Structures are given as C-alpha cells and as structure tokens.
Amino acid sequence: CFSPAIVNKLGCKFSLFLSAIPYTGFVFCMINPYLWSVFTLSALLGAGGGVIWTANGEVIAKNSPGDTKAKNTGIFWSWFNTSMLLGNVFLYFYLGNSETISDNQRHVIYLVLGIFCAIGMFTFLLLAPSGTQSGEEAGNVPETQSIVQPIIDAAKFCKTWQMGYLYGPIVFTGVSLNFWSSVFITIIGNVFPNRSYLALGGICTGIGEISAGFIWGRLTNRIGRHGVVMCSTVINCCLYYLAFISFPFDAATTTASVAEDNPIVHSNIYLTLVMGVMLGLGDGGFNVSTYAALGTIFEDNPAPAFAVFKFVQSLVGASAFLYCGHLLLPYQLAILALTCLAGCLCFITLERYPDQILVVTPDEHQD
C-alpha cells in the first residue's frame, strides 16, 4: 500500500536498491537459518517486494513510448526469469543424483545465490535516470504533491472500471504464481525421488517464462493483448488436463516420502518437463499482457496502478498458499482453470473497448 509513496519519494533507482536488501539478506540467512531471522526477513522481503515491483512497473511505463510497452515488458519478463534458468542449472549440476541435501551443500548453495543477489542489488545503482525521471532520481519531489498522494491515487485507481476488469487476470496470476513456485515443485519432489529433477523442473519452467517474454512481447502488436491471453489460456488448460491425468491426486499434499495414489496414466519425467515449459508460457502470457495493459492505461501515473496489481496478486498468492497443502490436486487444478478462464474473459471484455482505453488520471475514475 505504501510502495507508491516510497517510489515517489526516493525515485526508482534507490527504491529498487533498498527493496533488494531484504531479498539478499533472506538468501544469506538461509546458510544458517534461525526461526527469528527467517520470519523477520520474510516479512521485510514481502514489504520490499511491493516496492520493487512498483518501481519496476514505473521504469517500464516511463521508458516505453508509444506502442513499445508490450515489447519492453516482454524483454523485462525474459531477463527477470533468467534467474530461474541460471539458478536451477547450478543446482542441477551441483546436486547431481543426490536424494537428500546435506548441510554443507545447503551452505554452498545459499552462499553462491546470495553473492549473485548482492551483485544484482548493487547494479540497480548503475541505472541512469531517463528524461522523464530525472527529477525523481535526484530525489526532488514536486512540492505540490504530498507523500501520501500516491497512496490516495492507488485507492482511487482501485475504483476505475479498467482496473475492475484487470482484477480477473491479476487474481489468476496470483493463483498461478503459487502453483508454479511451490505446488509444481512439491509435486515433482513427491513423485520422483531424484532431487536433481527439482532443478530440471525449475529449468523448464524458467525456459517457458523466458520464451513467453520474447514470444508474447513480439506477438502482441500482431494479435493484441487479448490474443496473447487467449493463447495462454489454451496452453494453461492443456497443462491442467495433463497434470490431472499424470500426477497422483495426493502429489501436492502427501506427508509420505512418495505420493501413494495411482495416477490415471503413469507419471513421466519427460512429460513433466514439457508441462514445466507450458506452465511458464501460460503464466508469462498473462503477466506480460497485464503489465503492458497497466502501463498503457495508467501511463501518466503508473506507480499506484502497479502497487494495486502487486497488492492483489500477493494477497491472492498468500491465500492460495494456505490451501495448497490441504486440497487434493484435482481441486487445485479446478481453481486454476476457473480463475484462468475468468481472467481471460475479463481481459477480452476490457480489450473490446479500445477507444475507452485512455490514459486514466486519479480524478477520472468512475464509481
């Protein structure tokens, strides 16, 4: 909620740098985790996440003139998800055929990841201010704007009809985020005993997300944002069907070392890896299109809009995390399919009115 005010006060560069500190600290604390440090840094990481994504959105929106927002959002999304590819490639070769992860292995893993986090954090300071952000990056905020004004703007943006339609795809991105970041990897671990398969699953999901950025970013100008969302919906629904028939129903909830239910068809690691790529492509299509839509609709004042996006997505993701360890896989897939279809329908409805997709200021909201 307060991220637009922080970005407005500090500028994008320093907001990105400061919000990355809890990310780096959380990774380093996992070398020797303590209950207090994990919970404290988790809370700080959540606060930093809101700021970092709001600042990311503002940077993209302010540096993407004309119809380049979809392309630039796709490029950003691809580079952002290279972390999944590089990190999991490292894990795959380092863990080998291990069936357990020792303390020494954990120390090395988190030390290496923490160093890369620190390097990435300091590279934010190398960002050059653009013409539209020079005043912000210098820390000069217009005297006429209160520090709480961005928070008020965010509350007003919540009531716009454009944001109302975007709630559908935003809710789906929250549910999907929880699925690919926790449920899918849990399923792989419960179905296949080889720990290196966890890294392979992450690699394939990363390949899908990276490909989504380049493919959907370039296709948007040809088939439109709604076309990208429709294609992503088809991919997602096919993925959910494959997961339904090939994974045990207790694969996401079992407390045993291996899932005990029998799937409809025999679980296959190669099919699972294909599903990882599909998962990345489907999730990336929704995220790229939603990000591009927000940057276009709220072009004059993007930070509050992206703050609303991240707030709703995080709230939904946290809610999904509460049930993902208790609901059997078919019910979780049903929730994903329903929210995906609803999000697609909302996006198509929004894009049916191109003449009304204008630059929205806080004073132009419709009750």
Side-chain angles (χ1 to χ4, degrees):
C1 294
F2 296 97
S3 55
I6 295 173
V7 174
N8 184 67
K9 183 67 176 178
L10 299 179
C12 292
K13 178 195 295 186
F14 292 106
S15 295
L16 288 168
F17 173 74
L18 292 176
S19 58
I21 293 176
Y23 280 81
T24 305
F26 180 81
V27 174
F28 276 121
C29 89
M30 297 303 292
I31 296 175
N32 285 300
Y34 296 96
L35 193 62
W36 65 268
S37 62
V38 171
F39 278 99
T40 301
L41 285 166
S42 293
L44 293 174
L45 188 151
V51 176
I52 204 169
W53 280 99
T54 300
N56 281 335
E58 174 135 337
V59 169
I60 294 171
K62 291 292 182 66
N63 291 278
S64 301
D67 60 353
T68 63
K69 287 183 177 60
K71 182 185 73 173
N72 290 343
T73 301
I75 293 172
F76 160 77
W77 190 254
S78 295
W79 278 109
F80 166 69
N81 284 288
T82 55
S83 59
M84 293 182 62
L85 184 61
L86 297 176
N88 283 292
V89 166
F90 162 66
L91 288 179
Y92 177 75
F93 286 105
Y94 181 67
L95 293 178
N97 294 321
S98 301
E99 294 189 1
T100 59
I101 300 176
S102 66
D103 287 342
N104 288 335
Q105 287 177 317
R106 188 188 75 246
H107 295 162
V108 173
I109 289 170
Y110 283 107
L111 179 62
V112 172
L113 296 179
I115 290 172
F116 276 100
C117 281
I119 293 172
M121 179 180 70
F122 282 103
T123 57
F124 283 135
L125 297 177
L126 301 178
L127 289 174
S130 66
T132 56
Q133 293 176 306
S134 56
E136 295 177 8
E137 301 298 348
N140 298 323
V141 180
E143 294 181 1
T144 57
Q145 187 175 37
S146 167
I147 191 173
V148 300
Q149 186 60 45
I151 302 174
I152 298 174
D153 293 347
K156 290 181 177 180
F157 282 164
C158 290
K159 303 176 183 178
T160 60
W161 67 267
Q162 292 96 332
M163 186 64 78
Y165 282 118
L166 285 171
Y167 284 142
I170 291 173
V171 166
F172 170 70
T173 62
V175 180
S176 179
L177 172 65
N178 175 73
F179 184 77
W180 69 255
S181 64
S182 60
V183 177
F184 186 64
I185 296 300
T186 300
I187 291 173
I188 294 176
N190 288 336
V191 174
F192 306 103
N194 193 324
R195 296 299 95 179
S196 64
Y197 288 171
L198 297 173
L200 282 177
I203 290 171
C204 289
T205 305
I207 290 173
E209 295 280 8
I210 293 169
S211 301
F214 286 114
I215 294 172
W216 301 136
R218 293 185 176 275
L219 283 180
T220 298
N221 290 335
R222 296 184 180 181
I223 63 177
R225 292 190 295 259
H226 66 289
V228 169
V229 170
M230 291 173 66
C231 292
S232 300
T233 301
V234 173
I235 293 173
N236 283 326
C237 290
C238 292
L239 160 69
Y240 303 148
Y241 174 74
L242 291 174
F244 174 76
I245 65 173
S246 61
F247 291 140
F249 290 173
D250 66 339
T253 57
T254 182
T255 56
S257 57
V258 179
E260 298 174 350
D261 288 349
N262 292 320
I264 297 174
V265 299
H266 183 69
S267 300
N268 184 293
I269 184 59
Y270 300 106
L271 179 60
T272 301
L273 298 181
V274 171
M275 285 191 280
V277 176
M278 295 174 65
L279 183 59
L281 283 170
D283 177 76
F286 268 84
N287 276 282
V288 168
S289 297
T290 304
Y291 235 61
L294 286 168
T296 300
I297 296 170
F298 302 97
E299 187 174 47
D300 277 0
N301 194 11
F306 283 102
V308 173
F309 163 75
K310 198 59 187 178
F311 174 78
V312 175
Q313 184 191 60
S314 299
L315 185 64
V316 173
S319 301
F321 185 79
L322 293 177
Y323 69 69
C324 69
H326 303 283
L327 281 182
L328 292 176
L329 183 59
Y331 298 109
Q332 298 196 43
L333 294 175
I335 293 172
L336 282 162
L338 290 174
T339 54
C340 180
L341 292 171
C344 179
L345 180 61
C346 289
F347 213 104
I348 292 173
T349 305
L350 173 67
E351 295 283 299
R352 285 182 62 190
Y353 305 100
D355 293 335
Q356 299 186 50
I357 298 182
L358 307 173
V359 176
V360 179
T361 61
D363 293 331
E364 293 173 343
H365 75 278
Q366 299 177 11
D367 294 329

